[in-house]
Amino acid sequence: MGQVLVLGLINAGIYAVFALGVVLVYRGTGVLTFAQGEIGTLGLYVAYVLVTEQHLPWLVGAAGALLVTTALGAAFELLLVRRMVAADPVSTAVLTVGLGLTILACEFFFFGASPRVLDPPFLAASFTVAGVVVTPTQVAALVVALALGFGLQAVLRRTDFGLGILAASQDAAAVRLVGIPLSRITLVLWSGGAFLAGLAALLVEPTVGTVTPGYASELFVVGLAAAVIGGLTSLPGAVVGGVVLGIAESAASRYLSDANIPGLRYVTVFAVLLAVLLYRALAPELRRRLAPAPAGATA
Amino acid sequence: MTLLELHDVTAGFGAVTVLHGITMSVAEGSIAGVFGLNGAGKSVTMKAIGGTVPARSGQVLFEGEDITRLSPEKRVARGMGHVPQGRQVFPQLTVEENLRLGAYTLRRKDKGRYGPALDSVFDRFPVLKQRRQQLAGTMSGGQQASLAVARALINQPRLILVDEPSAGLSPVAQLELREVLQVVKDSGVTMVLVEQNIAFGLSLVDTAHLLQTGVVVHTAPVSELDDDTLATHLGIGKVLAGATGSALSARKGSKR
Amino acid sequence: MTSAAVRPLRLQVGRLPVPWTVVALLLAAVVPPLAGGTALLSDTHALVLAKGAGFAMAALSLNLLMGYAGQISLGQFAFVGIGAFVTGMVTGVEDLRLPWLVGVLAAAAAGGLLAFLVGLPALRLRGLYLAVVTISVAYVCWQGLFRIESIGGGSAGKVIPRPYVGSSSFSSNADFLALALVALVVVWAVDAQVTRTRIGRAFRAVKADEQVAASFGIDVAATKLLAFTLAGAMAGVGGAVYGTAYGTVTGDTFDYATSLLLVVIVVVGGLGSRAGVVIAAFFTVLLPDLLVALFGSGIRGLDLVLNGVLLMLTVAFNPEGMAGAVRHSRELRRQRRGGEPPLPPTRPHLPDLGRPAGMPAPRKTRPGTAVLEARGVSVRFGGLQAVDGASLRVDRGTIVGLMGPNGAGKTTLFNALSGALTPDSGTVHFLGEDVSALPPHARAARGMGRTFQLIGLAKDQSVYENLLIAQHLAAPYGVLAALTSLGSRGWEKQVRERADHTLDGLGFGRFRNTPVGRLSHGQQRIVEIGCALVTSPELLMLDEPSAGMSPAAAEDLAATLLDIRDQLGRTVLLIEHNVPLVLGTADELYVMDTGRVIADGEPGEVVTRPEVVTAYLGQAVTA
């Protein structure tokens, strides 16, 4: 049981950071972004070039990766999102699909399908919790996720600019009319989302030490589900969603290991996601059925 | 002194031109009304002044300076305030959070002025002080209208643009709104008011600008307007003439 | 307008949006290899084109979902994979060895079933949940399901034998290409047939506005689920063809990226345009070889980059895709010829069409029975008593007004009367029948029509299309009738005739194909009332029809309301803030405040009562 929890929490941090990026963008713009995974992979390739090929320190590689991903998010907003003819959230969501596909294709084009090796962030010794070997990177991922989840929430509520982001999600036009530069809000949101995608990917403990095209997308799928499970608009909810899926995954791999199910991670995520959506779809109906009939209903 | 001037402003969306050369000026401390039929360009005129629909040609002057190319946000920072159409308060923020956002540019310039500004708004709208922690979306239509006006006032603007404030409000809430706008008027802030409800508009404004197909066809002080002029330019016929006429005569009566 | 006019990008696709042109083209490709025996195409090219046909069907399936029903699937290629593997399991030499056609049908069934199961929870919620869920489906299939030995055939892959008829087999690629194109034509025809019917109209209405769709009696969740299921079945057929073209498929044939490629094809081809999508699908399949032929093999892989960029540019700058560009150039040409059409009148002449055959005749009632009678209706939202024991009676052939301050509960009561929400207590009788427990579409079927505070029309659809959508309940044929066109023709004829009559009556003939969103607010209001009247409801319920209207338009509206009562003999229930309008039209007036009815009676007298003046008017009205 303890093992399941520890193993679950190890992955939870990464899922949660991916989910936070999704929620941040969705909260402020109403757009569901599907490019986070590939933005993250791109960051890993940048780090690979700097650290493995150029032999620079890991931190320099990480800084470079975050710089590139953040700049990419900003460029995406400035060059495309801002200039869209039909700027409804669904079209912008499809636009992010295009971005993800483009980055994925570029990864194949420039690096090919063969795996590239990238060192983990901390080479410090790992330690054991409840019989599970835990590395410093894994602890860092969870700490970063929790700090970001609750820290960002505080920023949104406490600062004028954060309040402006909340207001923008309710009525973007009115935000401009109280004098808050809406373009700055969207720029910050899209680059912030991309930054979080890069960060999430960097926090992945490279279990096999390799990066391939689409590598971070496989984790982002889970992060996206975590964001939906957390309610899509709640930053702490995203962290909770990540923890739920992390533990569900480790429980499944522990108790279903004999069944030898291929792609167990996705099967688990899919099952939890469908269950949550089914509950949400049926909840109003259930509540009505279960509620005691109001007095006088038969009058 | 003239606070706002429009010189031959054209504007529109995509291939459609809505404003075909609007020229008007608004004196400091006065209330200007913009009236017209559906599609005459009232709201677009307002948006051209506010900057959300930029002018394609012509000039918009504010305090004598050319602001034609400025973004809406910059215009707010220069002293324009908005009471947007449909009383767009932020429904899921509290009354106080709405006001804090209203004072966004004021707080950026000088945080110290926010406290007194908030107090003075609460003095004018005691109902907002009582409900400062309430979510704006849960207030009544009239109270939301008060909040929308207060949100514009707290930034201490020199000009307030009020876009169709009475639309969708019941008569009693309209009366409430009229009192609120009267408060603004008495405080000496200049106002531009667009109204579909001509009776309501005429009860407040000093000067009326009548629009037809994107052009100002008639400008006159309210005291010089008569039923025939309104009928000619706005197409008011028998069903509604009574209400408008009585509003007009009430205004004239109060002038005398 | 002449030289300065911006000319849209002219793509050389000619008049292809006409389906028969495509059918003829396909036949031209099919006949030579069949008849001549010697293929005109090289074997490799025939294979690529056969895969393209499968790809095109997959793209058509996503087009049905995205372009018509407005739902996004980011894992559509998983359904193609299901189709391919199921075909292999049904027809394979080491499996069931059944005929290929059985395999195709099984593939359709499997794709449809999976879509149904996945869509069941995801489509009951509003938003992009289907997109999120289908990404998971793509990964579950690609990394999980297709790696199971008995389904995916392990690392060697699944063998899918080519079909044979008698002794002759379709083993040559050119022959199989012919078969693949026939399959494509069949899928195209079914797709075209469905989108022409009430089912297709329901898809478009749901895409435009779910709430509006529901008000016309469309079951939104069921409609979305039907669209996704049909799309899954179409993708399954595409998979059967795609897989058979390959001969051997592995799980990696159906990776996540290819699902995204389908999104590119549908968006770039033009959402909702079959021809555009099919052309884009073939182009996408041919692109890699084309690039290599042009620039050498060093360029391999660039096609995917181009596709991604193309998708972004299309969404950002030309959201209607290449089909949209063709449509725009036509529209421009038409405008240059005819100039702007004149504005339609805002005071329509409303034709009396009588009850449509598909809807039950209004209940016969004894004289003196009210058209609508509500007794003690209460609705509670959380802590708020929105409607508190409201009673109201509407007699035949009258106009009844309902006024009250904002938040008094007028619209909530309206929703309880029309069935959009279930009251906590109280009863609603319509023509003497207790309809309290009926859902909105059942009440609509009995003769209740309504409009919305914000215009309740599918804004991106034409005036004519809206008039057809409004008759959803008047042509009650099912999915099978829609799929085969048997049994739907008569209904469709009737529905179109009624729409034509109404269009003429409204004086909107020249605006027949104009998207409603491009009309002025007042004109939209007229179309909305036309849509509410096209099924000849006994009772018309209007929620603030004059909101946002200029005084002159409000006057025309008043005249229209009187026409509805006096010329058509219908009954009207009207929520309004425009006091002169109500006083000028209503026979009886109810006033609500804080959820209760505080006054009713003759309008001129009601507005003088002190409680009405205090709660609502604020000052006396001189009528």
Side-chain angles (χ1 to χ4, degrees):
Chain A
M1 191 60 203
Q3 249 180 359
V4 168
L5 276 181
V6 173
L7 278 170
L9 288 175
I10 284 173
N11 280 336
I14 293 157
Y15 299 156
V17 179
F18 268 123
L20 284 173
V22 173
V23 170
L24 185 68
V25 174
Y26 185 82
R27 179 87 214 232
T29 64
V31 175
L32 205 47
T33 158
F34 296 105
Q36 300 290 84
E38 280 330 306
I39 294 175
T41 316
L42 175 73
L44 289 179
Y45 273 108
V46 171
Y48 157 79
V49 169
L50 293 176
V51 176
T52 310
E53 286 189 351
Q54 306 295 322
H55 307 292
L56 292 166
W58 189 88
L59 275 179
V60 175
L66 291 177
L67 200 69
V68 170
T69 52
T70 310
L72 180 71
F76 181 63
E77 199 278 333
L78 284 171
L79 297 177
L80 292 170
V81 176
R82 185 168 295 190
R83 288 159 206 277
M84 274 178 64
V85 188
D88 62 307
V90 176
S91 301
T92 316
V94 176
L95 191 70
T96 66
V97 171
L99 178 65
L101 184 61
T102 307
I103 301 174
L104 178 68
C106 286
E107 290 159 12
F108 271 114
F109 190 69
F110 291 108
F111 295 97
S114 58
R116 309 288 163 132
V117 179
L118 176 65
D119 287 337
F122 305 104
L123 288 167
S126 49
F127 47 93
T128 315
V129 181
V132 183
V133 179
V134 179
T135 66
T137 321
Q138 292 167 332
V139 177
L142 193 61
V143 170
V144 166
L146 288 171
L148 279 174
F150 295 93
L152 279 176
Q153 178 72 4
V155 168
L156 285 188
R157 276 283 162 195
R158 301 267 163 79
T159 66
D160 284 7
F161 193 75
L163 212 51
I165 291 175
L166 293 183
S169 67
Q170 296 167 31
D171 193 332
V175 158
R176 305 189 77 185
L177 299 184
V178 294
I180 305 172
L182 184 66
S183 51
R184 205 176 300 160
I185 287 182
T186 51
L187 186 63
V188 165
L189 287 174
W190 283 101
S191 28
F195 172 86
L196 286 176
L199 186 63
L202 283 172
L203 289 170
V204 177
E205 175 78 25
T207 42
V208 276
T210 57
V211 182
T212 51
Y215 176 68
S217 278
E218 299 178 12
L219 298 157
F220 168 65
V221 175
V222 189
L224 183 61
V228 170
I229 290 171
L232 268 182
T233 52
S234 161
L235 292 163
V239 177
V240 172
V243 170
V244 166
L245 286 178
I247 291 176
E249 185 191 340
S250 73
S253 66
R254 167 85 192 262
Y255 299 115
L256 299 174
S257 58
D258 294 340
N260 200 12
I261 300 170
L264 185 61
R265 166 190 278 164
Y266 306 110
V267 176
T268 313
V269 168
F270 183 58
V272 175
L273 183 63
L274 278 196
V276 168
L277 291 183
L278 194 64
Y279 168 75
R280 273 204 211 128
L282 297 180
E285 182 75 10
L286 286 174
R287 225 172 285 138
R288 202 169 351 155
R289 295 261 168 101
L290 296 178
T298 49
Chain B
M1 192 205 134
T2 303
L3 184 66
L4 176 78
E5 276 180 274
L6 273 67
H7 284 300
D8 203 19
V9 168
T10 67
F13 311 95
V16 183
T17 304
V18 181
L19 303 185
H20 296 276
I22 296 277
T23 300
M24 59 185 268
S25 65
V26 178
E28 183 147 22
S30 75
I31 300 193
V34 178
F35 305 108
L37 294 176
N38 286 341
K42 303 185 297 292
S43 275
V44 182
T45 303
M46 206 62 139
K47 292 187 169 106
I49 300 173
T52 43
V53 175
R56 286 182 182 163
S57 66
Q59 266 190 318
V60 182
L61 301 179
F62 184 58
E63 298 177 308
E65 284 179 53
D66 189 342
I67 59 161
T68 319
R69 301 275 156 253
L70 287 190
S71 71
E73 295 91 331
K74 293 232 171 73
R75 297 186 199 199
V76 171
R78 285 202 178 196
M80 267 192 200
H82 294 263
V83 180
Q85 201 168 6
R87 301 170 294 287
Q88 295 163 335
V89 295
F90 302 113
Q92 290 168 49
L93 298 184
T94 65
V95 168
E96 199 166 343
E97 285 171 333
N98 266 280
L99 292 173
R100 208 172 101 198
L101 282 181
Y104 185 80
T105 58
L106 183 78
R107 281 165 64 92
R108 277 177 72 90
K109 279 182 216 142
D110 178 5
K111 273 225 161 100
R113 283 163 67 192
Y114 175 63
L118 187 65
D119 288 342
S120 92
V121 163
F122 280 155
D123 282 348
R124 275 185 222 168
F125 304 100
V127 65
L128 297 182
K129 190 171 186 177
Q130 288 160 21
R131 296 173 183 264
R132 58 199 289 175
Q133 296 305 331
Q134 191 177 339
L135 290 185
T138 63
M139 296 200 301
S140 76
Q143 288 163 352
Q144 287 189 31
S146 302
L147 178 57
V149 173
R151 192 182 61 186
L153 269 185
I154 195 170
N155 213 28
Q156 302 177 343
R158 303 203 58 195
L159 173 71
I160 292 193
L161 306 175
V162 188
D163 198 355
E164 306 232 4
S166 80
L169 280 184
S170 67
V172 71
Q174 285 184 15
L175 284 181
E176 215 175 303
L177 173 76
R178 221 191 78 78
E179 273 166 33
V180 167
L181 292 177
Q182 192 67 48
V183 170
V184 180
K185 183 179 179 179
D186 295 344
S187 71
V189 181
T190 316
M191 215 183 329
V192 178
L193 177 73
V194 158
E195 255 303 336
Q196 193 79 255
N197 182 336
I198 292 158
F200 181 87
L202 288 180
S203 70
L204 277 165
V205 305
D206 302 315
T207 312
H209 303 267
L210 307 185
L211 258 60
Q212 261 181 11
T213 57
V215 179
V216 178
V217 288
H218 191 83
T219 299
V222 168
S223 52
E224 288 167 23
L225 276 180
D226 55 50
D227 252 3
D228 290 343
T229 320
L230 288 174
T232 315
H233 296 301
L234 303 180
I236 297 176
K238 62 180 185 329
V239 175
L240 297 147
T244 314
S246 64
L248 210 52
S249 53
R251 244 352 253 294
K252 285 179 182 168
S254 70
K255 284 259 156 160
R256 272 176 216 130
Chain C
M1 188 69 206
T2 47
S3 62
V6 184
R7 291 181 64 143
L9 185 64
R10 289 281 295 276
L11 292 172
Q12 298 299 315
V13 256
R15 292 169 46 76
L16 273 176
V18 183
W20 287 113
T21 324
V22 175
V23 173
L25 269 180
L26 292 179
L27 283 177
V30 170
V31 171
L34 279 185
T38 49
L40 296 177
L41 288 164
S42 82
D43 206 45
T44 336
H45 282 130
L47 180 63
V48 171
L49 286 178
K51 287 176 189 168
F55 225 73
M57 285 180 251
L60 280 178
S61 82
L62 188 61
N63 177 49
L64 182 73
L65 189 67
M66 280 180 77
Y68 285 88
Q71 305 299 309
I72 299 179
S73 163
L74 295 181
Q76 199 64 7
F77 221 63
F79 297 90
V80 176
I82 296 280
F85 288 114
V86 165
T87 310
M89 289 162 76
V90 170
T91 64
V93 186
E94 288 164 21
D95 293 287
L96 295 172
R97 312 181 80 157
L98 291 168
W100 190 71
L101 199 58
V102 178
V104 174
L105 293 177
L113 183 67
L114 179 67
F116 179 81
L117 294 177
V118 169
L120 206 50
L123 288 170
R124 291 189 70 93
L125 298 164
R126 294 184 70 170
L128 286 179
Y129 291 105
L130 188 68
V132 176
V133 172
T134 46
I135 292 181
S136 292
V137 171
Y139 273 91
V140 166
C141 288
W142 172 33
Q143 302 281 355
L145 200 61
F146 298 160
R147 303 203 175 204
I148 296 173
E149 183 86 27
S150 58
I151 294 174
S155 54
K158 192 87 185 168
V159 178
I160 308 170
R162 289 283 169 86
Y164 51 88
V165 180
S167 59
S168 69
S169 119
F170 287 84
S171 57
S172 110
N173 286 334
D175 289 347
F176 183 70
L177 170 62
L179 191 62
L181 290 176
V182 169
L184 175 59
V185 170
V186 170
V187 166
W188 173 301
V190 171
D191 185 22
Q193 169 60 27
V194 169
T195 51
R196 254 201 306 273
T197 62
R198 76 194 283 259
I199 309 277
R201 289 196 293 270
F203 289 168
R204 290 190 286 270
V206 166
K207 182 188 181 191
D209 190 325
E210 295 192 3
Q211 211 183 347
V212 168
S215 81
F216 289 137
I218 295 166
D219 185 337
V220 172
T223 300
K224 288 194 286 188
L225 189 56
L226 179 62
F228 191 45
T229 306
L230 277 175
M234 282 166 70
V237 175
V241 171
Y242 192 70
T244 313
Y246 267 94
T248 308
V249 288
T250 66
D252 282 338
T253 317
F254 307 99
D255 61 354
Y256 174 55
T258 315
S259 287
L260 301 186
L261 204 52
L262 285 183
V263 176
V264 179
I265 290 170
V266 171
V267 172
V268 173
L271 285 167
S273 159
R274 273 179 289 273
V277 166
V278 167
I279 290 169
F282 277 106
F283 180 72
T284 306
V285 171
L286 292 171
L287 186 62
D289 291 343
L290 196 67
L291 286 179
V292 170
L294 285 175
F295 303 106
S297 59
I299 218 80
R300 197 172 287 283
L302 192 67
D303 59 300
L304 207 55
V305 180
L306 285 180
N307 273 305
V309 173
L310 202 57
L311 175 57
M312 288 198 286
L313 293 181
T314 306
V315 173
F317 301 113
N318 180 26
E320 287 176 62
M322 63 185 201
V326 175
R327 205 157 41 229
H328 281 307
S329 74
R330 281 190 191 172
E331 223 168 69
L332 263 188
R333 246 177 287 146
R334 197 175 310 141
Q335 272 180 15
R336 266 190 222 118
R337 274 203 307 272
E340 287 278 314
L343 293 177
T346 53
R347 183 175 170 185
H349 164 74
L350 304 161
D352 188 1
L353 296 167
R355 228 22 207 164
M359 296 175 83
R363 237 173 102 97
K364 293 270 182 292
T365 56
R366 272 169 302 170
T369 307
V371 169
L372 183 74
E373 185 162 18
R375 285 191 217 117
V377 171
S378 292
V379 182
R380 221 183 151 75
F381 295 129
L384 179 75
Q385 188 73 48
V387 177
D388 188 2
S391 298
L392 161 157
R393 182 188 162 96
V394 181
D395 283 312
R396 188 183 296 273
T398 61
I399 296 176
V400 174
L402 180 59
M403 297 198 310
N406 304 85
K410 304 179 301 286
T411 299
T412 309
L413 177 60
F414 236 49
N415 286 336
L417 296 174
S418 71
L421 62 81
T422 320
D424 299 312
S425 62
T427 57
V428 179
H429 282 78
F430 183 63
L431 296 170
E433 178 192 8
D434 187 348
V435 295
S436 313
L438 295 180
H441 61 263
R443 298 191 199 192
R446 279 164 175 73
M448 274 190 196
R450 76 167 289 185
T451 67
F452 287 82
Q453 222 170 73
L454 302 168
I455 303 278
L457 294 170
K459 294 264 169 86
D460 63 346
Q461 300 289 311
S462 69
V463 173
Y464 188 68
E465 189 68 26
N466 269 281
L467 285 166
L468 295 180
I469 294 170
Q471 297 180 75
H472 186 76
L473 295 170
Y477 56 85
V479 181
L480 275 183
L483 277 172
T484 58
S485 97
L486 297 172
S488 66
R489 289 234 174 105
W491 291 119
E492 283 300 304
K493 187 159 173 277
Q494 179 203 314
V495 161
R496 278 159 209 280
E497 270 171 12
R498 293 179 75 91
D500 282 327
H501 281 303
T502 307
L503 205 59
D504 291 345
L506 297 178
F508 274 58
R510 309 189 70 151
F511 286 81
R512 183 190 158 102
N513 297 321
T514 309
V516 166
R518 285 205 212 148
L519 300 176
S520 79
H521 185 86
Q523 290 166 348
Q524 290 183 25
R525 204 45 102 178
I526 301 289
V527 175
E528 195 193 16
I529 292 175
C531 282
L533 282 174
V534 72
T535 52
S536 292
E538 194 56 42
L539 172 71
L540 192 61
M541 297 169 47
L542 307 172
D543 194 350
E544 286 197 40
S546 86
M549 276 190 182
S550 68
E555 271 181 58
D556 286 336
L557 177 72
T560 305
L561 292 179
L562 295 175
D563 281 351
I564 292 171
R565 181 189 66 189
D566 301 334
Q567 309 295 319
L568 302 183
R570 308 261 176 241
T571 311
V572 178
L573 178 60
L574 174 73
I575 293 182
E576 257 305 337
H577 279 317
N578 187 333
V579 180
L581 176 69
V582 173
L583 290 182
T585 55
D587 302 293
E588 180 157 16
L589 175 62
Y590 285 82
V591 180
M592 287 181 77
D593 186 32
T594 60
R596 298 164 187 276
V597 172
I598 58 164
D600 72 287
E602 198 277 315
E605 183 261 327
V606 166
V607 294
T608 62
R609 292 191 203 170
E611 65 269 28
V612 174
V613 172
T614 315
Y616 181 65
L617 296 167
Q619 63 185 15
V621 171
T622 45

